[in-house]
Amino acid sequence: MAFLTHFPVAPIHHHSSSLFTRFFLSPKPKTLLIFATLSPSHFSSTSTIIPSSSSSSSLETFQEISLPEETPIQIAQEKLFIPPDTEISSEKPPRILRGSNIVLSKYARDAQIVSAEFVKSSVETDACPSDGSPEFALVGRSNVGKSSLLNSIVKRKKLALTSKKPGKTQCINHFRINDSWYLVDLPGYGYASAPHELKQDWNKFTKDYFLNRSTLVSVFLLIDASIPAKKIDLEYASWLGQNQVPMTIVFTKCDKRKKKKNGGKHPEENVQDFQDLISKYFDSVPPWIMTSSLTNQGRDEILLHMSQLRNYWLNH
Ligand code: GDP
């Protein structure tokens, strides 16, 4: 089996400082089978990283923990999200974030949330905060669990309710985290009872933000893993892929395991199906992560992923 020791980085085009462009324009890597584990409730790698309670910014603040015995599965290297400057080899196996395909890089640090405050609601991209801090935008179909996830991430109940107030649901809502970066709540799409014209407006509005917001590090596209893929979600993902907008897929409601209620499939199967359906729009698989706001599954992992994207972005 051939092992890659260096992951090639391609020239940069559209989003010049994004991980996404570097990753997705890279030539397809050779296959490297990574041994990982699959449990009924979550994927996890043989080597899982958790943040320590310390808020120190050094990489040494992450400890490796051993996991209980689980059924081994194999993940091919081309199914992993490997951040730039991250080497994988048989001597240096990847550290994969639990419940995801995301390899941890040296840029992961400062993952704890110390402060979170609502800053402003904007009605156009140009009106968004202009201090140049990096940001992550959460978007998804109405009812996907966006407000719940936002609250789970910042560990504050009802913070995201600001964006659910009348008049704010169609806005770009900025939350400042640790006084250094932003979480952005974008209007939900596909709201069943919204008039067609309003839906069109939301599309135009958010698309302009995706294409023109220079401090956008990555869109976090939320997909409900408890139900089979919806056409509108596939359209959204393919639009982001085709426009080379940096994207991480966040699968929500991964605690919902009743097969009958959920269209006959477990979250893991819906996660796999969704990836298969969108793979043709991407040169390589985008980063994805499984979450639940009920159990806080994926919360620490999302924060680590955001920290590595952010720190890479700040350094380039
Ligand atoms: P939003 O419209 O995308 O902001 O969605 P909400 O956060 O308001 O959630 C919509 C519904 O899904 C609510 O009834 C939540 O209780 C439920 N929900 C949200 N996240 C989860 C989750 O992780 N697990 C489960 N089981 N239900 C969830």
Side-chain angles (χ1 to χ4, degrees):
M1 192 188 305
F3 289 99
L4 262 191
T5 52
H6 176 71
F7 191 74
V9 174
I12 299 173
H13 296 192
H14 179 59
H15 285 266
S16 61
S17 51
S18 79
L19 274 178
F20 175 92
T21 314
R22 287 173 175 241
F23 182 72
F24 286 104
L25 295 183
S26 300
K28 285 210 168 179
K30 290 174 200 156
T31 297
L32 165 66
L33 291 180
I34 313 285
F35 287 90
T37 54
L38 172 67
S39 78
S41 59
H42 59 255
F43 294 120
S44 54
S45 74
T46 45
S47 171
T48 295
I49 314 301
I50 55 165
S52 77
S53 51
S54 155
S55 61
S56 157
S57 65
S58 113
L59 270 186
E60 279 71 56
T61 56
F62 303 110
Q63 325 163 330
E64 299 210 11
I65 55 161
S66 55
L67 292 162
E69 287 260 318
E70 291 166 345
T71 322
I73 57 157
Q74 292 181 333
I75 301 176
Q77 185 184 340
E78 65 257 26
K79 300 268 178 175
L80 292 175
F81 173 76
I82 304 171
D85 303 345
T86 307
E87 285 186 6
I88 292 183
S89 69
S90 50
E91 293 79 37
K92 225 176 165 197
R95 299 184 297 168
I96 305 165
L97 289 176
R98 192 181 178 105
S100 83
N101 69 335
I102 300 167
V103 174
L104 203 67
S105 73
K106 63 181 178 183
Y107 294 101
R109 65 192 81 135
D110 293 337
Q112 299 298 316
I113 289 196
V114 179
S115 65
E117 55 175 329
F118 172 71
V119 176
K120 73 180 290 198
S121 293
S122 313
V123 290
E124 56 186 357
T125 315
D126 286 348
C128 291
S130 56
D131 61 296
S133 302
E135 65 192 39
F136 302 96
L138 271 56
V139 69
R141 205 162 33 78
S142 292
N143 223 38
V144 72
K146 185 157 54 74
S147 313
S148 308
L149 186 78
L150 198 46
N151 284 319
S152 154
I153 290 176
V154 300
K155 276 197 176 151
R156 282 198 198 171
K157 295 203 165 48
K158 313 269 189 291
L159 179 72
L161 284 187
T162 320
S163 8
K164 285 211 158 181
K165 283 185 184 153
K168 305 285 188 200
T169 50
Q170 296 168 55
C171 294
I172 305 171
N173 295 296
H174 275 78
F175 298 89
R176 192 156 176 83
I177 310 297
N178 297 354
D179 207 18
S180 59
W181 54 281
Y182 292 107
L183 274 175
V184 183
D185 190 9
L186 291 178
Y189 58 83
Y191 186 50
S193 58
H196 186 64
E197 269 174 39
L198 195 56
K199 281 193 217 169
Q200 292 291 317
D201 266 2
W202 289 357
N203 282 344
K204 231 190 335 187
F205 178 77
T206 40
K207 280 177 182 171
D208 179 69
Y209 169 86
F210 292 145
L211 296 175
N212 298 313
R213 182 67 173 161
S214 60
T215 50
L216 176 63
V217 179
S218 178
V219 173
F220 279 60
L221 176 65
L222 274 55
I223 302 294
D224 188 339
S226 71
I227 53 170
K230 295 261 187 202
K231 189 167 166 257
I232 192 163
D233 290 329
L234 295 168
E235 283 169 3
Y236 225 89
S238 73
W239 186 90
L240 290 170
Q242 283 164 355
N243 286 279
Q244 300 195 341
V245 179
M247 177 182 80
T248 297
I249 305 174
V250 177
F251 291 103
T252 62
K253 309 189 187 181
C254 293
D255 57 277
K256 288 178 103 177
R257 313 207 53 79
K258 294 248 166 62
K259 272 185 129 182
K260 262 197 182 147
K261 268 194 192 165
N262 299 339
K265 298 211 169 169
H266 280 313
E268 287 80 2
E269 294 169 280
N270 289 325
V271 164
Q272 190 55 54
D273 288 353
F274 192 82
Q275 288 173 61
D276 292 345
L277 287 163
I278 63 163
S279 62
K280 59 176 176 278
Y281 304 112
F282 297 88
D283 291 340
S284 306
V285 274
W288 57 262
I289 186 160
M290 294 175 74
T291 69
S292 161
S293 303
L294 221 64
T295 64
N296 283 331
Q297 178 191 345
R299 177 190 180 273
D300 291 339
E301 289 77 7
I302 281 191
L303 287 172
L304 276 170
H305 178 52
M306 284 179 170
S307 85
Q308 67 178 2
L309 294 178
R310 200 169 61 239
N311 289 321
Y312 178 82
W313 188 90
L314 286 167
N315 278 288
H316 292 83

